[in-house]
């Protein structure tokens, strides 16, 4: 019975597979060169330091070889992408949905963003290819000194905060794609929560690729000052094209002492997108950073959210989920770098590979000399409902203090014939039985999502969730 | 007002991995009947239950099984369930991350496609049934069978039976591994849930649970056939004399060709 899981239609992209006519106010020529990098900086009227930064990053990008230790990236042709395309004039970000061109407004309406903003969020940003087309934060938060804007605006309006952190958590020379992002970045969110402020309900950013073969390179920087608290959520989708696209974001998170940051991603790119993202956080004394990272879409994803625990008592909690179907490779994982005493980390990775999809967990646990009293736990659960899919784990441990308490569990499960029979004997059709098992497997993740995202996940796995008693 | 339903098994042969276990089982279960199926280990009692429910491991080599004249053996396990057959598992399966309440509602709504799946009715019945079984409401939030004690698993099987209200329920050793109090609770609940619209077959080794269930008839299976049938007192006789007594009787009747 289990081999019939090929009947399963795991994810339905049709809902996201619509495109607007490509009408851009500003668009660079295809391909990348120093000229293109200069053009982007000039369009943004950037200060010299940022242009210098971009150019240094671009040179590093040219010198840096493609990573060869993970998924196959040989089909990426950097000359085939457009690196900047903005439907609005640069900097013309709207504060009201009705001020957007109707195509774009309809796109975000279809994706449910304005409604979600009304229902759930304290602030919303919307990026369309390279342009931040909409950004708004609730007045009460703005009055408390919370900054939530796009990163381009932050370069102009908050240079003193931005320069203190920009590129410090993820240096441009971290990897080839952080270098590329640092050279051509556009948009992304800039969040600053002042000391002691709790942002309360989440902030959300939505990233949409619309045009064919356009790369998206947003740059996000989140700073929670001492004792501050914030939950930031991002969603991403794109239509399906025959040519592939590239999404190479850089996300930097800073949790100052006793701050709490949760960063939730529900990535549902279409299967023609290479999603190569660098996400890293620094947690100081007694701070907590939580990554909740769901990867359902893309052709190839390489993403390893990291937390550098730099102050005594800092904590990291990383929950990552991968769902790979036919033609998809999701290479994800987590890194916890303990460089201070009494720090702790918990990493949970859950993956499902079906219909020939492939998932990998790649993780690093590092305990530096002097970081005594560290506690770290890693758990990797993989579910392989059929025989043609694949899941691997590549855990790396570098432990330089003997008193560290480390636990590591890795389980690869199949959906058992007994489980399916049991559920079918209660009247569930085979596909419903499998959906129920899959949703159960992901429940730990789903319960961490805001309600609309959790519902979306349910819908995606085509499990009808009906209200239960209790 | 309840309709009369019939589960008719005729000359059923079934094998597992090429080994024949059922060697011609014939029995009829009607609405309102409550029967016990007894017999020694390995005699084929559980095989009969799983074969009727459609477990893929069991191959039917001959015979038939009809539910109200419809060929059960041609149906998938879920179709059999929707036709009104329920199997209470001896070893219920764990499903992580799926709460008991969600699972029960999912199963209940599957059974009520077409007519209205009524959540108020469902909730009220569930509360009542939890009460029968001495289970707390918070039990519903736990993942299905995961981390359940043996007794909790058996009670959950009975709870599922109560929720799905089948035409025919076959309970495979609902008493195994239970302490005396749990046997009483499960036994009394099965008796309470049994009704004129439902046929119930309880598979067990021991007559202990039968004191609470009070079956109308007792079948004894030996070596893949029903060797002996009788009234409730047969269970007590078996308890005294042991299954060897039936085996000897069976051998004698086979030798004499009857």
């Amino acid at each position: 019975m289990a081999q019939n899981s090929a009947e399963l239609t795991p994810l339905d992209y049709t809902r996201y597979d619509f495109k607007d006519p490509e009408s851009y106010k500003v668009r660079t020529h295809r391909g990348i060169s120093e000229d293109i990098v200069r053009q982007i900086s000039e369009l943004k009227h950037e200060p010299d330091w940022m242009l210098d930064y971009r150019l240094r990053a671009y040179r590093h990008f040219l010198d840096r070889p493609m990573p060869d230790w993970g998924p196959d990236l040989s089909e990426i042709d950097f000359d085939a992408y457009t690196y900047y395309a903005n439907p609005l004039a640069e900097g013309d970000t709207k504060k009201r949905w009705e001020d957007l061109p109707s195509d774009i407004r309809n796109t975000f309406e279809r994706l449910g963003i304005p409604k979600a903003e009304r229902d759930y969020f304290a602030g919303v940003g919307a990026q369309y290819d390279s342009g931040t087309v909409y950004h708004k934060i609730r007045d009460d938060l703005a009055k408390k000194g919370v900054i939530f804007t796009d990163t381009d605006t932050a370069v102009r309006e908050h240079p003193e905060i931005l320069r203190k952190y920009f590129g410090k958590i993820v240096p441009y020379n971290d990897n080839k794609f952080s270098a590329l992002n640092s050279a051509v970045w556009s948009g992304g969110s800039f969040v600053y929560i002042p000391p002691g402020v709790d942002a309360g309900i989440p902030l959300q950013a939505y990233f949409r690729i619309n045009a064919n073969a356009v790369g998206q390179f947003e740059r996000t920087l989140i700073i929670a000052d001492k004792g501050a608290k914030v939950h930031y959520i991002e969603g991403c989708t794109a239509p399906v094209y025959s040519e592939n696209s590239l999404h190479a974001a850089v996300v930097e998170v800073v949790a100052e002492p006793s701050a709490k940051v949760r960063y939730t991603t529900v990535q549902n790119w279409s299967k023609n997108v290479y999603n190569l993202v660098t996400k890293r956080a620094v947690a100081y004394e007694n701070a907590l950073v939580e990554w909740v990272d769901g990867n359902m879409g893309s052709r190839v994803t390489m993403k390893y959210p990291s937390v550098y625990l730099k102050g005594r008592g800092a904590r990291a909690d990383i929950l990552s989920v991968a769902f790979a179907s036919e033609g998809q490779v999701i290479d994800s994982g987590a890194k916890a770098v303990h460089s201070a005493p009494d720090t702790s980390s918990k990493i949970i990775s859950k993956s499902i590979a079906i219909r020939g999809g492939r998932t990998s967990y790649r993780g690093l646990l590092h305990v530096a000399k002097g970081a005594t009293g560290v506690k770290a736990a890693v758990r990797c659960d993989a579910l392989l409902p059929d025989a043609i899919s694949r899941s691997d784990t590549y855990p790396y441990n570098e432990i330089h203090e003997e008193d560290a308490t480390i636990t590591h569990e890795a389980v690869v499960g199949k959906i058992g014939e007994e489980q399916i029979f049991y559920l079918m004997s209660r009247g569930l059709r085979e596909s419903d039985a499998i959906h129920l098992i899959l949703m159960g497997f992901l429940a730990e993740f789903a319960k961490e999502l805001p309600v609309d995202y959790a519902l979306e996940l349910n819908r995606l796995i085509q499990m009808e969730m009906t209200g239960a008693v209790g | 007002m309840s309709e009369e339903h019939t589960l008719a098994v005729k000359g059923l042969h079934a094998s597992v991995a090429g080994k024949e276990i059922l060697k011609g089982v014939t029995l009829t279960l009607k609405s309102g009947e409550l029967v016990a199926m007894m017999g020694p280990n390995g005699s084929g009692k559980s095989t009969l239950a799983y074969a009727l429910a459609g477990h893929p491991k069991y191959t039917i080599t001959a015979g038939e099984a009809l539910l109200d004249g419809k060929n059960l053996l041609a149906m998938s396990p879920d179709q059999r369930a929707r036709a009104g057959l329920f199997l209470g598992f001896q070893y219920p399966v764990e499903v992580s991350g799926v709460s008991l309440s969600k699972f029960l509602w999912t199963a209940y709504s599957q059974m009520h496609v077409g007519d209205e799946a009524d959540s108020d009715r469902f909730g009220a019945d569930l509360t009542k049934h939890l009460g029968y079984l001495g289970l707390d409401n918070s039990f519903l939030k736990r993942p299905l069978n995961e981390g359940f004690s043996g007794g909790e698993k058996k009670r959950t099987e009975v709870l599922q039976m109560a929720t799905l209200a089948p035409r025919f329920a076959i309970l495979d050793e609902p008493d195994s591994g239970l302490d005396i109090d749990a046997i009483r609770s499960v036994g009394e609940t099965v008796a309470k849930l049994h009704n004129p619209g439902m046929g119930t077959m309880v598979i067990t080794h021991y007559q202990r649970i039968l004191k609470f269930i009070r079956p109308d008839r007792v079948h004894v299976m030996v070596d893949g056939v029903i060797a002996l049938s009788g009234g409730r007192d047969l269970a007590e006789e078996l308890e005294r004399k042991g299954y060897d007594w039936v085996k000897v009787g069976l051998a004698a009747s086979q030798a004499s060709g009857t």
Side-chain angles (χ1 to χ4, degrees):
Chain A
M1 298 195 326
Q3 61 269 28
N4 287 359
S5 61
E7 285 172 20
L8 203 65
T9 314
L11 296 175
D12 176 10
Y13 289 98
T14 54
R15 182 163 172 214
Y16 309 114
D17 187 18
F18 58 93
K19 38 202 98 146
D20 299 337
E22 294 185 16
S23 141
Y24 291 89
K25 279 258 162 54
V26 198
R27 180 173 187 156
T28 56
H29 292 296
R30 276 199 188 208
I32 185 166
S33 63
E34 189 173 316
D35 273 353
I36 295 280
V37 174
R38 286 179 183 278
Q39 269 182 45
I40 292 171
S41 184
E42 199 180 318
L43 281 166
K44 295 174 182 293
H45 307 292
E46 283 177 348
D48 290 344
W49 74 267
M50 184 58 83
L51 174 61
D52 289 347
Y53 185 82
R54 287 180 184 274
L55 291 172
R56 267 181 290 148
Y58 177 61
R59 281 166 212 139
H60 185 79
F61 163 74
L62 290 178
D63 293 344
R64 191 85 182 237
M66 286 290 259
D68 59 359
W69 41 266
D72 178 12
L73 302 176
S74 61
E75 281 188 27
I76 291 181
D77 174 3
F78 290 108
D79 293 327
Y81 304 124
T82 300
Y83 287 80
Y84 181 93
N86 194 337
L88 306 180
E90 173 62 38
D92 189 21
T93 305
K94 310 295 187 190
K95 283 192 157 48
R96 303 188 320 165
W97 292 105
E98 48 280 25
D99 293 341
L100 284 169
S102 59
D103 278 355
I104 298 176
R105 193 175 70 227
N106 289 340
T107 287
F108 287 108
E109 290 281 356
R110 276 178 82 167
L111 295 166
I113 311 305
K115 182 180 184 310
E117 178 180 22
R118 291 191 296 273
D119 294 348
Y120 306 112
F121 296 116
V124 163
Q127 179 158 344
Y128 188 94
D129 295 323
S130 308
T132 304
V133 295
Y134 174 87
H135 231 286
K136 190 150 186 269
I137 180 170
R138 261 179 20 196
D139 291 344
D140 55 322
L141 284 181
K143 281 188 188 121
K144 287 182 188 164
V146 173
I147 302 169
F148 178 45
T149 182
D150 65 282
T151 307
D152 295 291
T153 301
V155 170
R156 292 193 304 273
E157 295 181 5
H158 307 285
E160 67 299 338
I161 311 176
L162 182 123
R163 285 195 74 169
K164 190 175 163 195
Y165 298 102
F166 186 95
K168 302 293 197 301
I169 296 96
V170 179
Y172 67 81
N173 58 3
D174 186 78
N175 63 73
K176 188 172 182 76
F177 294 94
S178 66
L180 177 62
N181 174 280
S182 299
V184 298
W185 73 268
S186 184
S189 300
F190 176 82
V191 177
Y192 173 77
I193 315 291
V197 172
D198 180 351
I201 57 173
L203 305 172
Q204 188 203 34
Y206 202 91
F207 297 92
R208 174 77 178 171
I209 294 178
N210 180 65
N212 183 26
V214 160
Q216 193 171 57
F217 307 95
E218 85 273 11
R219 180 90 192 192
T220 289
L221 176 55
I222 295 175
I223 302 138
D225 215 323
K226 285 174 189 151
K229 214 173 150 184
V230 65
H231 184 185
Y232 173 88
I233 297 170
E234 64 176 4
C236 9
T237 59
V240 176
Y241 288 103
S242 55
E243 283 184 85
N244 68 61
S245 305
L246 177 60
H247 174 250
V250 167
V251 174
E252 299 177 285
V253 172
V254 181
E256 293 286 3
S258 300
K260 286 184 182 165
V261 179
R262 171 177 282 209
Y263 192 116
T264 299
T265 302
V266 179
Q267 176 270 102
N268 193 23
W269 294 117
S270 53
K271 286 190 187 183
N272 56 316
V273 174
Y274 281 87
N275 183 47
L276 310 168
V277 171
T278 309
K279 289 186 163 171
R280 188 172 302 163
V282 176
Y284 292 100
E285 195 174 344
N286 292 321
L288 169 66
V289 173
E290 299 169 306
W291 294 107
V292 178
D293 200 63
N295 297 289
M296 325 298 155
S298 80
R299 175 166 177 179
V300 172
T301 283
M302 292 174 76
K303 189 187 340 166
Y304 320 96
S306 311
V307 184
Y308 285 65
L309 299 144
K310 292 195 170 178
R312 185 184 286 273
R315 288 177 293 149
D317 205 330
I318 306 175
L319 173 58
S320 98
V321 160
F323 192 113
S325 182
E326 191 176 1
Q328 290 182 279
V329 179
I330 309 268
D331 199 279
S332 58
K335 290 186 215 171
V337 178
H338 295 258
S339 53
D342 302 323
T343 49
S344 61
S345 63
K346 186 172 89 181
I347 295 170
I348 297 175
S349 156
K350 307 203 66 122
S351 67
I352 299 173
I354 64 165
R355 300 163 108 196
R358 190 169 167 189
T359 61
S360 301
Y361 170 81
R362 213 177 282 276
L364 171 69
L365 201 56
H366 179 93
V367 177
K369 193 81 196 136
T372 52
V374 164
K375 288 192 177 70
V378 179
R379 179 157 63 84
C380 304
D381 295 337
L383 196 60
L384 288 169
D386 58 39
I388 55 168
S389 306
R390 180 170 163 184
S391 173
D392 297 285
T393 56
Y394 305 99
Y396 300 95
N397 289 344
E398 302 165 357
I399 314 298
H400 300 292
E401 279 296 343
E402 283 183 4
D403 75 341
T405 311
I406 313 278
T407 60
H408 191 281
E409 290 174 67
V411 180
V412 178
K414 302 211 174 289
I415 296 185
E417 197 176 57
E418 294 302 324
Q419 255 182 339
I420 294 174
F421 174 68
Y422 185 65
L423 297 175
M424 288 179 79
S425 79
R426 287 359 182 192
L428 275 67
R429 285 167 184 81
E430 184 177 11
S431 57
D432 293 332
I434 295 170
H435 285 309
L436 194 67
I437 294 166
L438 294 183
M439 284 313 299
F441 181 77
L442 295 179
E444 209 170 349
F445 170 65
K447 79 177 164 56
E448 297 301 331
L449 298 179
V451 76
D452 57 334
Y453 277 89
L455 288 173
E456 177 70 356
L457 180 74
N458 263 306
R459 200 195 60 76
L460 284 175
I461 303 190
Q462 294 192 328
M463 167 64 205
E464 222 186 321
M465 176 137 156
T466 324
V469 299
Chain B
M1 82 165 252
S2 55
E3 305 162 61
E4 167 96 344
H5 301 287
T6 306
L7 176 63
V9 179
K10 293 174 195 165
L12 196 69
H13 289 248
S15 56
V16 182
K19 184 171 187 277
E20 186 167 65
I21 309 285
L22 297 186
K23 299 172 181 170
V25 175
T26 297
L27 68 90
T28 303
L29 187 59
K30 286 184 165 15
S31 299
E33 289 182 344
L34 179 48
V35 308
M37 177 67 72
M38 302 185 74
N41 277 329
S43 58
K45 306 185 299 296
S46 293
T47 298
L48 175 63
Y50 286 90
L52 289 176
H55 194 293
K57 206 168 76 182
Y58 299 86
T59 311
I60 309 293
T61 50
E64 58 181 19
L66 306 172
L67 200 160
D68 291 340
K70 278 179 281 184
N71 182 8
L72 264 189
L73 303 179
M75 301 181 196
S76 60
D78 55 312
Q79 289 169 333
R80 299 181 199 205
R82 292 197 299 274
L85 182 70
F86 178 86
L87 170 62
F89 282 55
Q90 186 181 353
Y91 303 108
V93 181
E94 299 183 0
V95 185
S96 292
V98 177
S99 68
L100 181 56
S101 58
K102 179 174 173 178
F103 166 65
L104 288 171
W105 172 254
T106 304
Y108 176 85
S109 0
Q110 294 277 355
M111 293 294 176
H112 292 268
V113 179
D115 61 299
E116 198 82 342
D118 180 340
S119 59
D120 292 340
R121 176 72 185 274
F122 169 78
D125 283 352
L126 196 50
T127 304
K128 183 175 77 183
H129 297 142
L130 284 167
Y132 287 174
L133 289 159
L135 293 170
D136 194 80
N137 243 356
S138 64
F139 191 67
L140 294 171
K141 296 200 172 103
R142 293 175 56 184
L144 180 59
N145 292 323
E146 198 175 55
F148 285 18
S149 69
E152 286 170 337
K153 285 185 179 171
K154 301 290 191 182
R155 286 178 159 99
T156 302
E157 292 298 291
V158 177
L159 184 64
Q160 291 176 42
M161 179 185 82
T163 301
L164 299 178
R167 289 176 178 170
F168 293 98
I170 302 174
L171 302 175
D172 188 16
E173 300 195 24
D175 52 346
S176 63
L178 297 191
D179 62 30
I180 297 171
D181 293 337
I183 289 176
R184 173 191 284 269
S185 158
V186 167
E188 287 180 348
T189 308
V190 170
K192 206 178 284 183
L193 292 168
H194 178 70
N195 63 70
M198 174 181 176
T200 307
M201 182 163 90
V202 177
I203 296 171
T204 180
H205 286 288
Y206 306 107
Q207 60 96 31
R208 188 177 282 151
I209 193 171
L210 301 182
K211 281 195 293 202
F212 307 110
I213 290 183
R214 304 176 62 79
D216 310 314
R217 271 185 302 139
V218 175
H219 297 296
V220 184
M221 188 177 281
V222 177
D223 196 23
V225 295
I226 292 176
L228 197 60
S229 298
R232 200 178 305 153
D233 48 353
L234 178 58
E236 286 162 32
E237 198 174 355
L238 279 169
E239 190 90 346
R240 281 199 313 277
K241 296 184 177 171
Y243 288 118
D244 281 345
W245 162 70
V246 187
K247 286 181 190 168
V248 172
L250 181 66
S253 69
Q254 280 168 348
S256 68
T258 54

